[in-house]
């Protein structure tokens, strides 16, 4: 049964991103396969250290310099079940395959701690089994208050341009988003941590960003979603909002 539409004017996917290694830079893509776990290959890999005698998955919270590294699968449409090992590129421009025996040592030297590399096809988002959807109007509202900001700070998967009010998405919990033929259940707004306060290129910190979000929008930006079935989405796909 087709659900009643809540009108979004001129709503389209403006960009798609996948982040092969958690907390490293990622890559834009024209198409993205999705299922209930998230985007194909998104956060399928991570760096770990040891904290209080236990393995700890590292993020920018512990090591801001991770942002100076990036990872990508290249110009391929990554399959849902078994993404290839990514290529990891350091601040000096040198690249290494994920399986390169030199990579853990190079990372350890640059990040200042021993690390191990892990792969998990269940994916390793902060919120399991999810995609992050953001909206251009909300990003521009933050820029109007704080000045130009790289939208990669939000580490989104699906970025949408629509004729909607800034931060309207914070009230869409429980609704359904249609992206092309894909159906996404909207879970809840995304509560932001300190990671977006770091410039994605330099790792320089902007603490006023989190303070502004806290004061104006209870620290929320974007909305978490979950695919209801395997699908493929693409830049330019129409986006529609439906009541539950």
């Amino acid at each position: 049964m087709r659900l009643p539409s809540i009108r979004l004017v001129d709503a389209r996917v403006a960009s798609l991103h996948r982040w092969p290694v958690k907390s490293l830079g990622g890559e834009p893509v024209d198409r993205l396969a999705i299922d209930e776990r998230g985007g194909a290959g998104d956060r399928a890999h991570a760096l770990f250290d040891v904290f209080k005698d236990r393995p700890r998955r590292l993020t920018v919270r512990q090591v801001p310099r991770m942002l100076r590294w990036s990872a990508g699968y290249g110009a391929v449409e990554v399959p849902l079940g078994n993404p290839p090992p990514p290529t990891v590129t350091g601040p000096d421009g040198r690249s290494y395959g994920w399986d390169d025996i030199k990579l853990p040592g190079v990372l350890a030297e640059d990040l200042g701690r021993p690390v191990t590399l892990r792969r998990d096809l269940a994916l390793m988002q902060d919120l399991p089994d999810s995609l992050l959807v953001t909206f251009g109007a909300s990003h521009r509202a933050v820029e109007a208050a704080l000045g130009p900001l790289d939208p990669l700070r939000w580490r989104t998967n699906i970025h949408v341009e629509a004729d909607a009010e800034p931060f309207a998405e914070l009230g869409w919990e429980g609704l359904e988003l249609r992206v092309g033929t894909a159906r996404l259940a909207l879970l809840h707004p995304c509560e932001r941590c300190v990671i977006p306060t770091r410039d994605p290129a330099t790792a320089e910190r902007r603490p006023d960003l989190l303070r502004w979000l806290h004061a104006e929008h209870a620290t929320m930006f974007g909305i978490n979603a979950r695919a209801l079935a395997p699908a493929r989405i693409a830049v330019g796909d129409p986006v529609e909002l439906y009541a539950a």
Side-chain angles (χ1 to χ4, degrees), residues 98 157 241 243:
W98 184 253
N157 297 118
L241 185 65

Coordinates of all heavy atoms in Angstrom, one line a residue, residues 98 157 241 243:
W98 N 45.2 -2.2 2.2 CA 44.8 -2.6 3.6 C 45.6 -3.8 4.1 O 45.9 -4.0 5.2 CB 43.3 -2.9 3.6 CG 42.8 -3.2 5.0 CD1 42.3 -4.4 5.4 CD2 42.6 -2.3 6.0 NE1 41.9 -4.3 6.7 CE2 42.0 -3.0 7.1 CE3 42.8 -0.9 6.2 CZ2 41.6 -2.4 8.3 CZ3 42.4 -0.3 7.4 CH2 41.9 -1.0 8.4
N157 N 26.3 9.9 4.8 CA 26.1 8.9 3.6 C 25.3 9.5 2.5 O 25.7 9.4 1.3 CB 25.5 7.6 4.1 CG 26.3 6.9 5.1 OD1 25.9 6.7 6.3 ND2 27.5 6.5 4.8
L241 N 9.1 11.9 1.1 CA 8.9 11.6 2.5 C 7.4 11.1 2.7 O 6.5 11.7 2.1 CB 9.1 12.9 3.3 CG 9.0 12.8 4.9 CD1 10.1 12.0 5.4 CD2 9.0 14.2 5.5
A243 N 4.4 9.4 5.5 CA 3.9 9.2 6.9 C 4.0 7.7 7.2 O 4.0 6.8 6.3 CB 2.5 9.7 7.0

